[in-house]
Amino acid sequence: MKRQRIVAGNWKMNKTFDEGRDLAISIIQQLGPSENLAVLCPPFIHLNYLSVLTNGIANLKLGAQNCHFEESGAFTGEISAAMLKSVEAEFVILGHSERREYFKEAGELLAKKVDSTLKHGLRPIFCCGEKLDAREAGNQEEIVKQQLEEGLFHLEESQFSNVVIAYEPVWAIGTGKTASPEQAQEMHRYIRNLISLKYSSHTANLTTILYGGSCNPKNAKELFSQPDVDGGLIGGASLHATDFISIFNSFPVSG
Ligand code: 13P
């Protein structure tokens, strides 16, 4: 079994309904058949309509950018995993550094969100990554290890096999300052090794680990040619269909 390669677009808080529809249509028109998976993670308002548009396209899936851990109830402004499932979302981004920074999400809360996501048959795209000061102090491995231990490593191995990890160094997000392919590879290998120690080398080898942070059509090929980089979680460049498709087409042919 080969591990799945994925390019996911995190639209963040961008695109009105019409703009999102046009972007998705443009992506669909340019997306060729492929064994690799493209995932669109738009704001919630787009999911229902995009589920109709993408219906039947085998290599194009939908994801959300967040969800609450409770099943339902008085949580004004929140959305549940069951609701996301009901509009055909298959993935949920959790633990993004913007949620960690602006909404103080961390540790136990993220672990509960991961549990709810998996319970409803959705796959978490769990983000981890260090800030600039941690990188400069050489603490990136420690930080990422703690994030994975707090948010994911309570899972059983069979549950963990549904998780996608995104390594997103915070200093590279939206800054135009990409991690070098060597820096990305080093951290991805480190993460895979942690999974191997926690679960098994089999599970580690099958876990998709995405890189995120100023990934664009120019640098995607080199990043994706690293042995432990299985694709990307794309912010800014996912808002332009040709850029997103160009990144999607950046995997090495043989891999
Ligand atoms: P940019 O690609 O805009 O740097 O954003 C990356 C990101 O945060 C994806 O989740």
Side-chain angles (χ1 to χ4, degrees):
M1 210 155 94
K2 271 203 312 194
R3 61 176 174 258
Q4 194 165 40
R5 300 191 297 188
I6 298 174
V7 171
N10 176 8
W11 293 8
K12 305 192 180 181
M13 195 174 74
N14 292 292
K15 303 294 179 189
T16 62
F17 183 83
D18 287 357
E19 290 166 351
R21 178 200 54 209
D22 292 350
L23 174 57
I25 289 172
S26 197
I27 287 170
I28 290 166
Q29 283 167 347
Q30 296 177 55
L31 185 76
S34 160
E35 59 179 6
N36 306 320
L37 207 58
V39 180
L40 305 181
C41 303
F44 300 130
I45 62 146
H46 298 285
L47 284 171
N48 193 21
Y49 186 70
L50 294 197
S51 74
V52 177
L53 276 187
T54 58
N55 186 25
I57 307 175
N59 62 340
L60 183 58
K61 304 289 182 198
L62 294 176
Q65 297 174 19
N66 185 27
C67 78
H68 197 272
F69 59 83
E70 290 285 358
E71 295 292 309
S72 63
F75 300 99
T76 302
E78 292 294 324
I79 194 154
S80 72
M83 292 172 187
L84 296 174
K85 186 75 182 171
S86 75
V87 288
E88 320 279 337
E90 294 189 27
F91 293 85
V92 184
I93 298 171
L94 292 175
H96 192 280
S97 62
E98 288 147 20
R99 302 278 332 161
R100 292 177 188 269
E101 178 76 14
Y102 305 133
F103 303 95
K104 305 297 168 220
E105 296 193 2
E108 204 184 323
L109 173 80
L110 292 177
K112 287 204 260 183
K113 290 187 175 208
V114 166
D115 289 346
S116 180
T117 299
L118 289 169
K119 182 179 168 198
H120 289 278
L122 295 155
R123 300 183 63 189
I125 300 177
F126 187 87
C127 303
C128 57
E130 79 286 355
K131 293 186 189 171
L132 184 59
D133 55 347
R135 165 65 63 167
E136 284 174 349
N139 292 335
Q140 61 273 17
E141 293 187 349
E142 213 174 293
I143 299 285
V144 164
K145 183 172 183 218
Q146 190 184 348
Q147 290 169 338
L148 297 180
E149 281 176 345
E150 287 178 354
L152 288 181
F153 282 177
H154 63 290
L155 296 173
E156 300 291 328
E157 188 166 5
S158 61
Q159 295 176 298
F160 188 86
S161 60
N162 291 309
V163 172
V164 172
I165 291 180
Y167 170 62
E168 298 205 313
V170 180
W171 47 271
I173 296 177
T175 58
K177 199 174 170 216
T178 324
S180 69
E182 295 74 26
Q183 286 172 320
Q185 168 56 23
E186 201 173 54
M187 287 305 288
H188 283 227
R189 179 182 296 156
Y190 173 72
I191 291 166
R192 203 176 303 287
N193 192 41
L194 288 178
I195 300 166
S196 182
L197 291 172
K198 170 70 191 171
Y199 298 106
S200 64
S201 59
H202 175 75
T203 290
N205 280 329
L206 287 178
T207 303
T208 300
I209 307 178
L210 308 179
Y211 169 78
S214 297
C215 186
N216 61 42
K218 287 207 176 84
N219 58 31
K221 264 203 176 69
E222 217 184 335
L223 285 162
F224 294 0
S225 66
Q226 301 302 311
D228 288 291
V229 178
D230 308 313
L233 180 56
I234 319 300
S238 75
L239 301 175
H240 307 279
T242 43
D243 287 352
F244 182 71
I245 292 293
S246 162
I247 294 170
F248 183 74
N249 291 333
S250 295
F251 287 108
V253 177
S254 55

